[in-house]
Amino acid sequence: MEEVDVEPTITNIPAISDGKHMGFAWGPGDILVYETRYKASGASGSGCSFIHEIRKDEDIYSPILRKLFNESHHIFVGLQTIREDLPSKSKKPQFVSISKNYRSVIRACMEELQQVAVSTKNTELATQCGNQVSILLAIELIWNLCEVLFIDAAPAGSLLLHLLDWVRLHKADVDEKAREVLQSESPAEHRDYWDVVVSYVLQGRLEEVRQMLVKQANLQPAARSMYKQMDTLLSKMPFYNPGGTQTLTEFDVKWRHWHEEVDRCLQDNSFASNRHLELICKILLGDEDTLLDHKELLGTWYHFLVTRLLFCHPTVKLTELHYYAQSCMTMFLDSRSVPEPLDNILLAAFEFDIHQVIKECSIALNNWWFVAHLTDLLDHCKLLQSHNLHFGSNLREFLLLEYASGLFTHHSLWQLAVDYFDHCPEFGRVYLELQIERVPLETERKALKVLRVCEQRQMSEQVRSICKIMAMRALRNNRLGSALSWSIRAKDAAFATLISERFLQDYCAKGTFSDLDLIDNLGPAMLLSDRLTFLGKYREFHKLYGEKRFREAAKLLLSLMTAKIAPQSFWMTLLTDALPLLEQKEVIFTADQTYELMFCLEELTSSLNITASSTDRPMQEEDVEVTKVELLRLALARNLAQAIVKEGTVEI
Amino acid sequence: MTTQDNRISIWSIGSNLSTGMEDGFEGDPQLLCEHKHDGDVLDLQFLDQDRIVTASSTGAVTIFRHHQNSQTISVSQLWARAHRYPCDNAPCTGVVCSSPEIVTVGEDGRIVVFRADQEGVVRVIENADSSTIHAVTYLRTTEILTVNSIGQLKLWDFRQQSNSPSQILSLSGDRVPLHCVDRHPNQQHIVATGGQDGMLCVWDVRQGNTPFSLMEAHTAEMWEVHFHPTNPDHLFTCSEDGSLLHWETSSHSDMPSFLQGGRNSSMVSRSAMAPAGGKQPLISAWLSGDSSKGRLETTHMLPSQTLSVNSLDVLGPCLVCGTDGEAIFVNRQVPV
């Protein structure tokens, strides 16, 4: 057993009093807990009769986050269908675009949650939404970094540009402040003016810096030349152009030249008279102390990292990142503050420890959505080494199974989970087989959907089981037609027999058939079970009799017995049905047919005699039976006589 | 045990006239108002301008009123156990209205007739069917059609007092459950049904008791079929297999050229029997079993593979449908 990574969280159950022993049972997504009467010492006390349900993941019930699950399912399914045999060069842009799709879905959810958090009057809801927004922000931050480092994995030069984009995307407050400053009467005299300028410099947005500085320059005509000099420096900073003809080495050379020029300006004290401009100059040189002086403007250690790289080492390679990352984090966070989980995750990402990233994220988040989808995408990019877990399946499959199992407990999102299980080659099918039978079936329509899922995957046992449940339910509510239609779907002959027995019992009890619309229109379904066939044919007999087509009715009746379609228990009824035909003026049964009828009667009575002696039946019943048999014998004998005579007569 | 928060919602999809737009999708639908609904909504229909009738999985039939001024919805009338078993709930599976009359059918095999604004039930046909009745539609003002899960199409005449159908039609062969039914808007003898195997059947209720033509439409249950109300040469079907098909029939031999987008596939209709009485010029294109006389075009209306499309409706050039992926698709420029 491995050690635990973090101490398990303790959840107090308020309704259970202190010191009581609890019993529990695991559910698919929750635990049921109850109070027991057990006491360590002394007499057992009285218990409370409540059962408590404890659920870890509330997210699947959030109406806004549901969109996240639905949309990401769509993207996930699309990702699985990307052909394996394409060369990796053409697959990479597809993977990047899929990653961007996932992120835009996260952003859309964030915006909606933000709107609700702002507009609602319910404070609890507002805090809840606010929390979810910050979690989604963190998730998107991590995902974006993973996209930059792992999926896109740009070479030196482009890498820094992507990192810059990443930082800029997640520091929206700069633009807000800038808007405020620019909308004021005299922007250059606004108290936040220089903060905005410095923030822009830190983010490498030099165009905006130049535009802002122009305003300041207009206010101080005396220092115009100094501002002009700064403006020139800013405009000449080289940025790598990935699509251009310039090679990385050429860019590096150019950048060094520029760096030296800035250094010279600083040494020359060109900006000594203006502390702001001097500050900017120092930042441009990537001076660590200056950067660290502006922790509040940077906000985070990773902003510090990217800024430092921008102004010290813009041609940084992927493999060099982790040196800088660790040192930046240590420098930025003073010795007192402990790194938060998010910091650890990002650091692990910079160190290319993908497994650590996934592990830390799994611990920090209460929902498997993020790690499952990210791992799946990284697995498609062939970035995960096969990491053998103690549970046998690989990491990707494990996470997907966990995520999908969580979804399955939801009354409506279970349909998404089916697709996830489909794409887990090793255990997906087994999980699906177990889970699909436990979907609550309140309506027939839901049952039909579940059945369609099972049938498409040839899960015949589950089909039978579900159809049987629905058929039993129908039978209990006396919906014989529904029950029959379910047993036809499952091709369940045994159940069809059961239903036919019910019909026949009804007939014996009431003397008429119920649900004639069903029996009259059985069609080929009749052949599903012998009993059902008998039912259909027996009804046909009645119809023929009603239409006075006696000869055909007689023939049918006989065939029911001789072909052994009728169960022996029913033969008495059939023979009794034959009585009126035998009593007709016209001879209906031929001599041969009469012999056969007699044979059937003898067979029946002999078997009855064997059983009658062993069971004690009331005297009256036996009397009735004996009378019936005697009547039949008499009628048969009379019919035989008439038939022989008729057949023997020759018309002259 | 499950926390279901089902709601009935009213959305606005903007103005009807969308000039200058190539794509049918413009802007998101706006949620106007919503109301909690007990149980799943299995069927839904407008009773009149302001009122909507819903069929619930709890067996209840509810009339909701939409107050246009305040943009709110309130419950106007509720029949809580319209469909039921002796000791259990039976879902109400279909509802159809012809104001003020409302007819509902359910898994309990009963047909119930209500009148809006009247408390009690107007008429009940007990044990109308021994299996589940999946859908209902009006044939004439006093006649309705129901389809059930043993593949039968039953005609009920309300003028008669008896509790048995005046006509039963069914497919010969396997008893495939039928899930939806719709009547041709102009020619009242033409009816279309969709079944569990995804087959689209067109019936002529005057002639015989077997369908006129059968077409392989979908690979899974067909949930809804609708004739276009004003242009009945067009038919729409949606299915569990995630597709929504637009069927267009024309009596002329040249193919309509305005079909845009989607995937076109010519489907050949297999007719169950030849049209009686030779070539009648006024015979509906739907009943022309011979494929050389009429052409049937189908188009997939949804952009890509989705989960099951459960329901659709069409009015004018506007088509709306809902899927199991909890998405609603609106197409404002259906070529009809």
Side-chain angles (χ1 to χ4, degrees):
Chain A
M1 180 78 170
E2 280 199 10
E3 309 165 347
V4 285
D5 299 297
V6 287
E7 284 304 310
T9 48
I10 298 179
T11 311
N12 281 319
I13 300 168
I16 295 187
S17 21
D18 242 1
K20 292 274 189 175
H21 271 247
M22 292 195 296
F24 71 97
W26 283 109
D30 44 24
I31 311 177
L32 289 178
V33 167
Y34 57 93
E35 221 177 84
T36 63
R37 297 162 76 181
Y38 174 79
K39 252 195 187 162
S41 61
S44 61
S46 62
C48 173
S49 58
F50 289 126
I51 298 182
H52 310 271
E53 182 192 355
I54 298 154
R55 197 191 287 147
K56 188 179 171 208
D57 176 18
E58 283 285 319
D59 287 344
I60 50 176
Y61 294 98
S62 153
I64 297 173
L65 283 183
R66 268 167 89 150
K67 279 192 227 175
L68 184 71
F69 300 130
N70 276 297
E71 297 271 324
S72 56
H73 162 262
H74 192 69
I75 302 172
F76 173 85
V77 171
L79 171 59
Q80 308 308 309
T81 55
I82 288 181
R83 285 175 38 213
E84 280 294 311
D85 52 354
L86 289 177
S88 50
K89 245 201 317 197
S90 59
K91 280 200 277 189
K92 190 157 98 155
Q94 275 187 312
F95 290 142
V96 172
S97 116
I98 285 176
S99 177
K100 287 200 195 322
N101 279 344
Y102 274 124
R103 280 173 42 219
S104 69
V105 169
I106 300 174
R107 290 210 147 241
C109 266
M110 253 196 315
E111 277 169 25
E112 228 185 290
L113 280 168
Q114 186 65 16
Q115 262 180 20
V116 172
V118 160
S119 61
T120 184
K121 297 189 190 70
N122 180 345
T123 42
E124 200 188 305
L125 182 62
T127 25
Q128 199 183 38
C129 286
N131 287 340
Q132 280 171 340
V133 168
S134 30
I135 293 177
L136 284 179
L137 262 173
I139 285 179
E140 207 263 327
L141 179 74
I142 301 169
W143 193 305
N144 199 342
L145 184 62
C146 289
E147 181 187 309
V148 168
L149 297 177
F150 306 143
I151 302 172
D152 212 347
S158 307
L159 175 63
L160 182 68
L161 295 174
H162 289 161
L163 284 172
L164 260 183
D165 281 335
W166 173 65
V167 162
R168 285 174 192 167
L169 194 59
H170 294 95
K171 201 110 180 54
D173 56 354
V174 176
D175 289 304
E176 270 173 49
K177 243 198 258 180
R179 243 194 318 267
E180 218 184 281
V181 167
L182 289 172
Q183 279 169 1
S184 70
E185 270 184 30
S186 176
E189 286 169 340
H190 197 284
R191 62 191 167 98
D192 285 336
Y193 171 81
W194 282 111
D195 276 346
V196 172
V197 172
V198 172
S199 297
Y200 276 147
V201 177
L202 292 169
Q203 284 192 4
R205 291 159 79 170
L206 302 186
E207 269 305 309
E208 282 100 323
V209 175
R210 289 170 65 200
Q211 283 168 13
M212 296 284 283
L213 285 179
V214 161
K215 298 193 197 304
Q216 190 67 243
N218 290 336
L219 277 187
Q220 301 175 23
R224 184 157 295 202
S225 60
M226 210 170 31
Y227 278 94
K228 191 80 180 78
Q229 196 178 11
M230 174 53 80
D231 190 74
T232 324
L233 275 182
L234 290 171
S235 66
K236 286 206 297 198
M237 175 170 180
F239 278 92
Y240 182 64
N241 182 359
T245 49
Q246 191 187 49
T247 66
L248 193 66
T249 339
E250 285 170 13
F251 164 75
D252 198 28
V253 165
K254 246 182 114 178
W255 185 83
R256 280 183 204 286
H257 276 247
W258 174 84
H259 195 90
E260 278 159 20
E261 198 180 324
V262 178
D263 199 24
R264 248 176 294 140
C265 286
L266 190 66
Q267 304 303 334
D268 288 348
N269 290 326
S270 316
F271 302 112
S273 52
N274 188 325
R275 63 182 178 89
H276 294 291
L277 290 180
E278 198 173 47
L279 172 67
I280 292 176
C281 198
K282 285 192 188 159
I283 294 176
L284 290 177
L285 283 174
D287 182 42
E288 275 169 26
D289 297 317
T290 324
L291 291 177
L292 284 169
D293 280 341
H294 291 86
K295 272 195 202 169
E296 325 83 51
L297 289 182
L298 285 169
T300 56
W301 64 269
Y302 40 92
H303 192 333
F304 172 50
L305 166 68
V306 174
T307 307
R308 198 170 145 218
L309 288 171
L310 173 66
F311 294 122
C312 298
H313 190 38
T315 54
V316 63
K317 294 202 280 278
L318 277 171
T319 44
E320 296 167 345
L321 271 179
H322 68 278
Y323 295 131
Y324 292 96
Q326 181 65 65
S327 62
C328 282
M329 187 163 107
T330 328
M331 274 194 269
F332 193 91
L333 302 170
D334 45 48
S335 47
R336 278 167 298 146
S337 59
V338 173
E340 291 189 359
L342 179 61
D343 297 323
N344 287 330
I345 295 169
L346 293 171
L347 186 64
F350 281 119
E351 292 176 349
F352 275 80
D353 193 349
I354 299 183
H355 286 144
Q356 187 68 15
V357 171
I358 293 169
K359 184 166 148 186
E360 301 252 353
C361 287
S362 309
I363 295 170
L365 299 165
N366 69 343
N367 182 293
W368 296 100
W369 178 87
F370 172 55
V371 284
H373 287 89
L374 182 63
T375 312
D376 173 62
L377 183 56
L378 293 175
D379 187 66
H380 276 266
C381 301
K382 305 267 187 288
L383 289 167
L384 288 180
Q385 300 129 351
S386 56
H387 191 100
N388 240 347
L389 298 172
H390 296 287
F391 329 97
S393 65
N394 64 31
L395 185 62
R396 168 192 171 269
E397 185 160 318
F398 171 70
L399 292 172
L400 283 176
L401 289 171
E402 287 293 313
Y403 171 64
S405 305
L407 274 186
F408 232 99
T409 58
H410 193 273
H411 59 87
S412 158
L413 293 174
W414 62 270
Q415 287 175 296
L416 306 179
V418 171
D419 280 316
Y420 286 101
F421 282 137
D422 278 345
H423 291 106
C424 292
E426 226 179 295
F427 292 118
R429 195 188 162 87
V430 173
Y431 269 68
L432 183 59
E433 281 175 3
L434 289 172
Q435 297 265 26
I436 198 96
E437 277 190 288
R438 286 160 176 79
V439 176
L441 305 170
E442 304 100 358
T443 63
E444 280 204 358
R445 187 175 273 225
K446 199 161 174 193
L448 287 170
K449 285 181 186 277
V450 172
L451 276 175
R452 185 56 65 177
V453 166
C454 294
E455 280 173 357
Q456 278 171 349
R457 289 156 184 80
Q458 281 93 40
M459 295 182 178
S460 43
E461 217 182 281
Q462 278 71 28
V463 170
R464 258 199 304 274
S465 153
I466 291 168
C467 283
K468 201 161 267 171
I469 294 173
M470 295 307 289
M472 273 313 287
R473 199 185 291 176
L475 211 57
R476 203 176 59 214
N477 289 314
N478 217 25
R479 312 292 311 142
L480 292 174
S482 289
L484 185 64
S485 114
W486 287 111
S487 30
I488 291 173
R489 177 115 185 219
K491 302 200 191 13
D492 192 344
F495 215 87
T497 308
L498 192 74
I499 297 169
S500 325
E501 290 284 333
R502 271 285 280 267
F503 273 115
L504 292 170
Q505 275 168 22
D506 270 353
Y507 172 77
C508 288
K510 292 188 220 148
T512 54
F513 282 111
S514 58
D515 303 319
L516 277 177
D517 64 334
L518 173 63
I519 310 174
D520 279 344
N521 295 293
L522 279 175
M526 222 184 347
L527 302 170
L528 185 59
S529 113
D530 282 343
R531 200 55 50 87
L532 203 55
T533 316
F534 167 64
L535 183 65
K537 292 279 172 206
Y538 189 50
R539 169 66 194 150
E540 209 182 307
F541 163 72
H542 278 269
K543 272 206 292 209
L544 288 171
Y545 190 93
E547 289 165 15
K548 301 214 190 303
R549 288 152 68 181
F550 294 126
R551 287 251 155 68
E552 291 161 50
K555 212 161 129 189
L556 181 57
L557 186 64
L558 191 58
S559 69
L560 283 178
M561 283 189 279
T562 51
K564 302 268 189 283
I565 299 178
Q568 254 209 4
S569 54
F570 219 74
W571 277 13
M572 205 59 212
T573 320
L574 290 176
L575 287 168
T576 321
D577 283 334
L579 256 178
L581 289 173
L582 292 165
E583 301 285 327
Q584 293 270 342
K585 279 215 195 65
E586 197 194 331
V587 173
I588 295 171
F589 285 101
T590 65
D592 285 331
Q593 286 176 334
T594 318
Y595 279 127
E596 284 188 47
L597 277 174
M598 286 171 148
F599 179 68
C600 291
L601 181 59
E602 288 313 309
E603 228 185 287
L604 189 60
T605 46
S606 59
S607 64
L608 277 179
N609 277 335
I610 298 172
T611 53
S613 48
S614 52
T615 61
D616 41 3
R617 297 155 80 191
M619 284 301 292
Q620 291 149 324
E621 244 189 71
E622 254 194 63
D623 277 343
V624 170
E625 285 303 308
V626 168
T627 324
K628 260 204 244 176
V629 171
E630 285 185 0
L631 271 175
L632 272 169
R633 288 226 175 90
L634 185 59
L636 281 168
R638 278 215 284 258
N639 191 69
L640 184 60
Q642 287 180 321
I644 291 175
V645 169
K646 182 172 169 231
E647 280 159 32
T649 314
V650 173
E651 294 279 331
I652 304 171
Chain B
M1 180 87 161
T2 51
T3 48
Q4 297 187 18
D5 50 350
N6 297 313
R7 272 170 258 145
I8 174 173
S9 324
I10 298 190
W11 301 72
S12 153
I13 56 167
S15 65
N16 286 335
L17 308 163
S18 52
T19 53
M21 281 277 177
E22 280 124 39
D23 197 342
F25 302 85
E26 49 158 276
D28 286 338
Q30 297 300 319
L31 176 65
L32 294 178
C33 46
E34 57 187 12
H35 193 285
K36 216 170 95 65
H37 186 273
D38 207 16
D40 300 337
V41 178
L42 291 178
D43 202 0
L44 182 69
Q45 201 167 59
F46 271 95
L47 179 63
D48 53 28
Q49 271 288 76
D50 301 314
R51 289 183 294 178
I52 305 153
V53 189
T54 67
S56 164
S57 63
T58 59
V61 176
T62 324
I63 302 185
F64 289 92
R65 185 181 287 276
H66 176 214
H67 307 273
Q68 306 254 9
N69 300 336
S70 57
Q71 283 305 353
T72 51
I73 305 178
S74 61
V75 175
S76 164
Q77 216 167 343
L78 168 69
W79 292 282
R81 288 194 13 115
H83 291 273
R84 57 182 183 271
Y85 295 130
C87 47
D88 212 356
N89 280 339
C92 175
T93 52
V95 69
V96 72
C97 343
S98 162
S99 188
E101 193 176 75
I102 302 167
V103 180
T104 67
V105 292
E107 280 188 22
D108 57 353
R110 297 155 88 235
I111 301 176
V112 188
V113 183
F114 297 100
R115 233 179 162 74
D117 305 327
Q118 253 185 37
E119 270 280 323
V121 161
V122 169
R123 181 166 171 189
V124 174
I125 302 181
E126 292 281 353
N127 232 345
D129 209 312
S130 61
S131 63
T132 302
I133 308 178
H134 284 291
V136 62
T137 188
Y138 272 101
L139 188 64
R140 276 171 254 275
T141 41
T142 53
E143 288 179 356
I144 57 165
L145 279 169
T146 61
V147 289
N148 65 13
S149 59
I150 45 176
Q152 296 170 325
L153 183 63
K154 291 187 184 176
L155 220 143
W156 303 85
D157 192 340
F158 284 141
R159 290 167 300 192
Q160 294 174 10
Q161 280 310 111
S162 78
N163 277 355
S164 51
S166 49
Q167 204 181 346
I168 300 183
L169 303 90
S170 61
L171 271 167
S172 62
D174 280 330
R175 291 283 180 266
V176 175
L178 293 174
H179 285 291
C180 51
V181 63
D182 196 27
R183 191 206 75 195
H184 193 286
N186 306 331
Q187 296 172 296
Q188 294 180 339
H189 53 276
I190 299 179
V191 166
T193 63
Q196 189 172 285
D197 52 359
M199 289 273 252
L200 172 67
C201 302
V202 180
W203 309 68
D204 182 346
V205 293
R206 300 170 308 190
Q207 300 180 357
N209 64 346
T210 49
F212 208 89
S213 60
L214 300 104
M215 287 162 273
E216 283 174 11
H218 295 279
T219 53
E221 286 90 347
M222 187 191 300
W223 294 123
E224 285 204 13
V225 61
H226 283 273
F227 280 99
H228 191 282
T230 46
N231 202 336
D233 278 342
H234 298 259
L235 182 79
F236 297 86
T237 60
C238 67
S239 158
E240 175 75 20
D241 67 5
S243 62
L244 201 167
L245 291 178
H246 170 192
W247 302 71
E248 184 182 348
T249 181
S250 54
S251 317
H252 316 290
S253 53
D254 43 284
M255 191 164 73
S257 57
F258 53 78
L259 280 173
Q260 310 164 8
R263 285 167 274 161
N264 277 327
S265 53
S266 269
M267 313 262 306
V268 178
S269 65
R270 292 168 13 223
S271 62
M273 64 191 199
K279 294 173 186 155
Q280 293 162 300
L282 290 176
I283 197 170
S284 165
W286 291 108
L287 294 184
S288 53
D290 187 355
S291 59
S292 65
K293 256 206 294 243
R295 202 63 187 278
L296 200 59
E297 292 279 336
T298 54
T299 320
H300 284 260
M301 294 301 292
L302 289 178
S304 60
Q305 186 68 30
T306 57
L307 291 179
S308 163
V309 183
N310 293 322
S311 180
L312 74 94
D313 204 1
V314 62
L315 187 70
C318 217
L319 172 74
V320 64
C321 68
T323 71
D324 265 342
E326 307 191 356
I328 297 178
F329 289 86
V330 178
N331 187 332
R332 267 171 278 230
Q333 289 186 324
V334 177
V336 291

